[in-house]
């Protein structure tokens, strides 16, 4: 999708930037991957499709690129993460050329496998909001990643150039398949049982945290020695503590991109926790992370005349 | 070596009847599910049975003005049988045993767990896309000659080394069948991609400072997921929990983490992703083969499967091999 446009623009941008962070096809079928394009002859590797889940904002934090002028392809959630990083002083706006890209959602390989068995790339054709499997046209909704099915912002809120046309529907409404709503509907006991089972599986590899574009602390509370917040032993209760702690650190910062969930090697739908916190903030404070760069994040703000007594 | 043929029905029934003796890795389950009864305990990676994610090493307490320290000993384990794929078996037999059961030092708790864990190697009759065992000295039918080995053959299951008749008496393999098997094995091996050049570890070692590492490592976000699920990665951390009373905890660790090499002085000899990725590749493809004679990678491909950004170890070593000529 949009390849011509992306490549033509990248050729132009490479005159003024050190590199363009985008996606190329991966080494295995149904995978695209982050790609740093630094030479004009390499722009032909740049692609965009339903397998470009990785949040590229993560790459702005690596020391190498931090001080350089860089162009970056940004889906809505990447652009939101970039907005938060700018607000938090982690990257400089003037160093970035943001190439916004309206996003129809990313496809979850596992959902394809469940439905179609062993996958052959030649059996599929991909369109913006549908796919063709051996000639049959199907809506893309059921095959999207859980965080994409509940997405509220398919269009990037911040960009210098926009590729393609804006998405004209709200995915969450259209696909009507919000994993969080389902979890909200069950009883407290069932919900507890669900999370207890998931935390049993967690091996505390921290891949969720390490792939999050906004978990950039040099020293994370999870591994601190003084104070010693939690044990390194991956027991269900310590795992719960880690994930609840992390979700609270993400409150009003998490952009609901699903990077954590995508990285988890044992398939824990871990984005549910920070996403739930964002849902509460949306309801209580009318705030969404990374949408409006000028709006003050409610949980990162202190006012002497705060109406809440416990804060003063 | 005892060799026999067992019917799939008998095999399945024998496993079902003794199901609490058996465990299976998730990948082996993926390949062999049609031959096995449901409900076996499935584990992610063989290492979690012998080198668990975390364990206490010793307890300590300060009492009557002196320190008391007790080793935490793992109890006895009753014998268990683990179904696993050839690459996973190689990871245990060559790499993990090689590391934890050395001539001059035996990790006691590892040995406690390992000595009663019997491996049942399931030969790969279909080869998943992510595999590359033949590049690193393995093959889809690799076995150590002592462990149990199972392979579908002419509608039955061919079994080696079943001294205890775990899968029943079966019928012995005749000379013609043996020949057919051997020919097929040869044909299969000949069809696989060739191993890495034998001087690869040496050449890699000599190219520690090469600029190409920056390029090779860029994509990796050092999330660590690959090292936690890699069947050979054995690095661990020791941390002390508690002050006057507590324990020393051993947990899985990863060379992908900045803290892995962070000195108390705050100096870090592997400050960026480049050094960390280079270490992961070097340890597996240079240091271990040069020092111990085996690769630290068995080509199982699980890291390629799970990496969230498709940083690909096979691509990396093949690129490096080409670059080094
Ligand atoms: S990535 Fe998954 S297994 Fe690893 S710490 Fe996060 S939730 Fe746990
Ligand atoms: S979990 Fe909290 S402390 Fe750890 S990296 Fe994320 S924001 Fe920082
Ligand atoms: S190779 Fe992939 S899975 Fe491994 S640390 Fe890098 S990003 Fe994570
Ligand atoms: S292929 Fe990857 S997971 Fe498997 S042994 Fe090699 S490095 Fe480890
Ligand atoms: S790498 Fe693949 S083919 Fe080789 S032994 Fe392992 S699972 Fe089988």
């Amino acid at each position: 999708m949009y390849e011509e446009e992306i490549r033509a623009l990248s050729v132009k941008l490479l005159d003024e930037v050190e590199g363009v962070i985008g996606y190329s096809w991966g080494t295995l079928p149904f995978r695209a991957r982050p790609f740093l394009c630094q030479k004009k002859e390499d722009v032909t590797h740049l692609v965009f499709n339903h397998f470009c889940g990785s949040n590229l904002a993560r790459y702005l934090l690596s020391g190498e690129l931090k001080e350089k002028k860089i162009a970056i392809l940004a889906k809505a959630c990447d652009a939101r993460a970039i907005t938060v990083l700018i607000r938090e002083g982690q990257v400089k706006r003037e160093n970035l050329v943001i190439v916004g890209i309206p996003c129809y959602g990313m496809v979850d390989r596992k959902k394809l496998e469940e439905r179609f068995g062993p996958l052959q790339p030649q059996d599929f054709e991909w369109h913006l909001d549908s796919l063709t499997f051996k000639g049959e046209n199907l809506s893309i909704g059921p095959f999207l990643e859980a965080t994409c099915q509940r997405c509220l912002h398919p269009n990037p809120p911040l960009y210098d150039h926009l590729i393609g046309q804006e998405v004209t529907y709200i995915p969450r409404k259209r696909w009507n398949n919000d994993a969080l709503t389902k979890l909200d509907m069950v009883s407290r006991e069932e919900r507890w049982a669900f999370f207890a089972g998931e935390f049993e599986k967690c091996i505390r590899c921290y891949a969720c945290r390490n792939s999050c574009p906004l978990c950039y602390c040099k020293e994370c509370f999870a591994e601190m020695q003084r104070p010693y917040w939690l044990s390194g032993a991956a027991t269900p209760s310590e795992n719960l503590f880690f994930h609840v702690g992390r979700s609270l650190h993400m409150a009003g910062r998490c952009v609901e991109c699903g990077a954590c969930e995508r990285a988890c090697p044992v398939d824990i739908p871990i984005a549910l926790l920070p996403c739930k916190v964002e849902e509460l903030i949306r309801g209580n404070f009318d705030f969404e992370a990374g949408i409006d760069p000028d709006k003050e994040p409610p949980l990162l703000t202190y006012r002497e005349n705060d109406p809440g007594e416990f804060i003063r | 070596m005892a060799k026999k043929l067992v019917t799939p029905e008998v095999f399945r029934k024998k496993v079902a009847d003794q199901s609490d003796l058996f465990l299976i890795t998730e990948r082996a389950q993926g390949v062999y599910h049609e031959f096995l009864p449901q409900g076996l305990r499935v584990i992610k990676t063989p290492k979690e049975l012998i080198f668990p994610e975390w364990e206490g090493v010793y307890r300590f307490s300060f009492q009557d003005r002196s320190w008391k320290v007790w080793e935490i000993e793992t109890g006895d384990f009753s014998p268990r049988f683990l179904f696993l794929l050839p690459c996973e078996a190689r990871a245990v037999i060559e790499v993990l045993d090689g590391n934890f059961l050395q001539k001059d030092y035996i990790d006691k708790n590892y040995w406690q767990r390992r000595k009663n864990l019997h491996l049942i190697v399931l030969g790969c009759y279909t080869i998943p896309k992510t595999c590359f065992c033949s590049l690193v000295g393995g093959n889809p039918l690799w076995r150590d000659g002592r462990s149990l080995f199972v392979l579908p053959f002419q509608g039955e299951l061919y079994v080696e080394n079943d001294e205890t008749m775990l899968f029943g008496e079966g019928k012995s393999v005749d000379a013609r069948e043996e020949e057919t098997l051997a020919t097929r094995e040869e044909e299969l091996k000949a069809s696989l991609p060739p191993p890495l050049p034998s001087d690869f570890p040496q050449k890699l070692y000599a190219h520690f400072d090469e600029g190409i590492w920056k390029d090779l490592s860029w994509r990796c976000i050092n999330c660590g997921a690959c090292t936690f699920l890699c069947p050979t990665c054995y690095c661990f951390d020791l941390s002390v929990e508690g002050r006057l009373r507590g324990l020393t905890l051993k947990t899985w660790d990863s060379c992908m983490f900045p803290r892995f090499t962070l000195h108390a002085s705050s100096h870090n000899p592997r400050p960026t992703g480049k050094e960390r990725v280079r270490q992961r590749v070097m340890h597996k493809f240079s240091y271990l083969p040069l020092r111990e004679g085996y690769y630290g990678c068995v080509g199982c491909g699980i890291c390629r499967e799970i990496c969230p950004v498709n940083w690909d170890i096979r691509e990396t070593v093949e690129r490096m091999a080409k670059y080094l000529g």
Side-chain angles (χ1 to χ4, degrees):
Chain A
M1 294 156 95
Y2 310 129
E3 264 92 33
E4 298 294 306
E5 241 180 292
I6 294 172
R7 291 172 191 171
L9 180 61
S10 302
V11 169
K12 267 191 244 151
L13 290 175
L14 279 170
D15 287 333
E16 46 166 317
V17 298
E18 293 268 339
V20 178
I21 306 178
Y23 300 95
S24 64
W25 277 115
T27 54
L28 296 163
F30 302 94
R31 280 173 178 85
R33 56 179 184 174
F35 174 59
L36 174 62
C37 180
Q38 292 184 290
K39 294 189 209 114
K40 287 190 184 174
E41 64 262 32
D42 287 345
V43 297
T44 47
H45 294 303
L46 288 167
V47 297
F48 189 74
N49 51 50
H50 289 294
F51 302 97
C52 297
S54 306
N55 192 323
L56 297 180
R58 185 74 185 57
Y59 290 91
L60 296 176
L61 297 168
S62 67
E64 278 284 314
L65 300 180
K66 234 176 157 168
E67 296 303 323
K68 292 188 176 148
K69 183 123 179 143
I70 281 288
I72 181 167
L73 207 66
K75 310 185 291 296
C77 49
D78 308 44
R80 287 177 66 187
I82 295 169
T83 307
V84 177
L85 289 174
I86 294 170
R87 168 118 207 155
E88 295 180 354
Q90 297 303 312
V91 294
K92 295 198 189 90
R93 178 68 181 96
E94 61 273 22
N95 282 349
L96 296 180
V97 179
I98 303 172
V99 181
I101 188 154
C103 178
Y104 288 82
M106 293 298 143
V107 164
D108 185 336
R109 239 177 9 248
K110 295 203 182 80
K111 291 182 182 164
L112 288 183
E113 266 160 20
E114 259 165 45
R115 170 74 185 270
F116 304 112
L119 305 177
Q120 300 295 340
Q122 64 271 23
D123 293 342
F124 292 86
E125 268 174 56
W126 300 98
H127 320 290
L128 292 178
D129 62 348
S130 68
L131 62 96
T132 314
F133 176 71
K134 294 189 178 166
E136 185 191 356
N137 199 261
L138 298 162
S139 158
I140 207 147
F143 305 105
L144 294 180
E145 299 200 8
T147 40
C148 298
Q149 287 174 331
R150 58 185 306 282
C151 173
L152 286 176
H153 297 281
N155 297 310
L158 176 74
Y159 54 82
D160 300 303
H161 303 270
L162 189 71
I163 299 280
Q165 301 292 316
E166 295 213 332
V167 181
T168 51
Y169 58 87
I170 293 176
R172 188 185 291 184
K173 290 209 179 119
R174 171 143 180 214
W175 308 126
N176 191 23
N177 192 6
D178 182 349
L180 206 54
T181 319
K182 287 186 205 153
L183 207 55
D184 278 338
M185 274 166 5
V186 304
S187 71
R188 216 174 250 260
E189 290 72 27
E190 281 173 86
R191 201 154 49 233
W192 176 249
F194 168 77
F195 278 113
E198 295 300 324
F199 291 136
E200 189 83 45
K201 281 166 32 190
C202 173
I203 52 175
R204 282 275 279 293
C205 63
Y206 301 121
C208 46
R209 174 199 71 193
N210 297 347
S211 59
C212 171
L214 300 163
C215 262
Y216 51 72
C217 302
K218 279 233 159 56
E219 193 177 12
C220 173
F221 83 108
E223 292 155 310
M224 253 178 216
Q225 297 285 337
R226 262 173 221 187
Y228 205 69
W229 297 104
L230 72 156
S231 164
T235 62
S237 62
E238 295 297 292
N239 294 344
L240 170 88
F241 185 42
F242 165 59
H243 289 296
V244 169
R246 189 178 99 84
S247 300
L248 293 177
H249 296 182
M250 298 314 295
R253 304 175 57 235
C254 165
V255 295
E256 304 158 286
C257 67
C260 47
E261 195 157 294
R262 221 168 274 130
C264 178
V266 298
D267 299 324
I268 299 175
I270 196 63
L272 284 168
L273 278 185
C275 285
K276 175 68 190 175
V277 175
E278 289 323 293
E279 219 45 56
L280 292 172
I281 291 175
R282 203 171 261 131
N284 288 302
F285 301 99
D286 186 29
F287 180 82
E288 300 183 285
I291 295 294
D292 178 354
D294 299 322
K295 201 161 168 181
E296 290 214 59
L299 298 186
L300 304 176
T301 316
Y302 174 74
R303 274 193 230 124
E304 275 183 24
N305 59 353
D306 198 288
E309 221 167 280
F310 68 101
I311 285 179
R312 268 180 290 141
Chain B
M1 188 199 295
K3 301 170 179 179
K4 66 184 172 194
L5 291 170
V6 187
T7 65
E9 294 72 37
V10 170
F11 183 81
R12 187 181 293 107
K13 182 163 185 315
K14 287 280 180 183
V15 177
D17 289 349
Q18 314 163 77
S19 64
D20 44 338
L21 279 182
F22 293 106
L23 301 112
I24 186 163
T25 64
E26 196 174 273
R27 298 182 66 236
Q29 168 99 342
V31 181
Y32 267 76
H33 55 92
E34 56 174 307
F35 295 105
L36 292 161
Q38 300 215 311
L40 295 185
R41 193 181 139 205
V42 182
I43 57 165
K44 271 274 170 194
T45 155
K47 77 179 174 189
E48 69 184 76
L49 290 179
I50 37 185
F51 167 48
E53 287 143 35
W54 62 275
E55 69 178 323
V57 183
Y58 53 83
R59 286 184 194 290
F60 56 86
S61 94
F62 189 72
Q63 279 168 7
D64 308 324
R65 301 206 200 147
S66 74
W67 287 100
K68 299 212 167 38
V69 179
W70 310 265
E71 263 189 75
I72 302 176
E73 306 227 357
T74 350
D76 281 326
F77 291 88
S78 43
R80 294 179 291 179
F81 292 85
L82 174 65
F83 287 113
L84 75 183
L85 299 178
C87 50
E88 295 176 313
R90 235 178 123 215
V92 174
I93 295 166
E94 284 192 350
V95 188
L96 296 184
D97 287 356
N99 182 58
F100 290 111
L101 308 175
Q102 305 207 356
K103 270 191 223 84
D104 48 356
Y105 183 77
I106 301 252
D107 183 315
K108 267 200 281 186
N109 286 357
Y110 180 89
W111 176 237
Q112 269 309 85
R113 295 186 172 94
R114 179 67 176 95
K115 69 180 181 208
N116 280 324
L117 183 72
H118 304 289
L119 308 182
I120 307 173
V121 185
L122 301 176
C124 293
Y125 57 94
T126 57
I127 303 179
K129 278 198 224 34
T130 42
C131 301
F132 58 101
C133 49
S134 64
L135 267 70
V136 285
N139 71 73
L141 304 180
W142 183 93
R143 64 267 198 200
D144 64 346
R146 274 169 302 167
S147 306
L148 272 144
F149 175 71
V150 177
L151 184 73
F153 177 66
Q154 298 180 342
E156 295 185 275
L157 288 164
Y158 165 77
V159 177
E160 279 178 10
N161 294 324
D162 186 10
E163 263 85 41
T164 60
M165 299 298 152
L166 201 58
F167 305 126
E169 297 255 337
K171 112 178 161 356
S172 56
V173 177
D174 65 29
R176 238 191 57 228
E177 287 162 337
E178 199 152 346
E179 213 189 294
T180 316
L181 262 162
T183 329
R184 282 205 202 158
E185 190 166 346
E186 284 319 307
E187 280 167 10
L188 172 74
K189 284 186 189 163
S191 71
L192 300 166
L196 290 166
S198 56
D199 59 355
F200 183 63
Q202 188 60 53
K203 280 196 173 156
L204 204 56
Y205 192 84
H207 290 77
F208 185 85
D209 282 326
E210 220 65 11
I212 191 171
W213 288 111
K214 203 169 104 185
D215 191 23
L216 287 172
S217 64
W218 178 78
R219 178 172 296 114
C220 169
I221 53 176
N222 290 169
C223 77
C226 54
T227 54
F228 273 61
L229 285 201
C230 171
T232 69
C233 278
Y234 51 58
C235 288
F236 58 83
D237 186 30
L238 290 173
S239 54
V240 177
E241 307 210 327
R243 295 183 71 173
L244 292 180
R245 206 158 61 86
L247 86 166
T248 297
L249 189 71
K250 179 173 164 186
T251 49
W252 287 353
D253 202 353
S254 167
C255 58
M256 293 293 94
F257 299 162
R259 278 173 50 102
F260 190 75
T261 43
L262 183 63
H263 294 182
S265 67
S266 88
H267 169 66
N268 195 338
R270 295 186 202 141
T272 72
K274 181 187 98 179
E275 293 84 13
R276 300 198 277 270
V277 168
R278 179 176 62 197
Q279 162 63 21
R280 178 153 49 89
V281 177
M282 283 286 192
H283 188 203
K284 289 172 187 293
F285 292 89
S286 182
Y287 309 150
L288 270 178
L290 291 178
R291 204 174 60 213
E292 309 288 346
Y294 49 77
Y295 281 110
C297 166
V298 291
C300 71
I302 187 147
C303 55
R304 307 175 72 204
E305 182 62 41
I306 60 161
C307 174
V309 297
N310 185 228
W311 186 91
D312 187 324
I313 189 115
R314 177 180 183 171
E315 175 195 27
T316 304
V317 294
E318 284 184 334
R319 241 184 96 184
M320 216 43 197
K322 206 167 144 201
Y323 175 79
L324 300 176

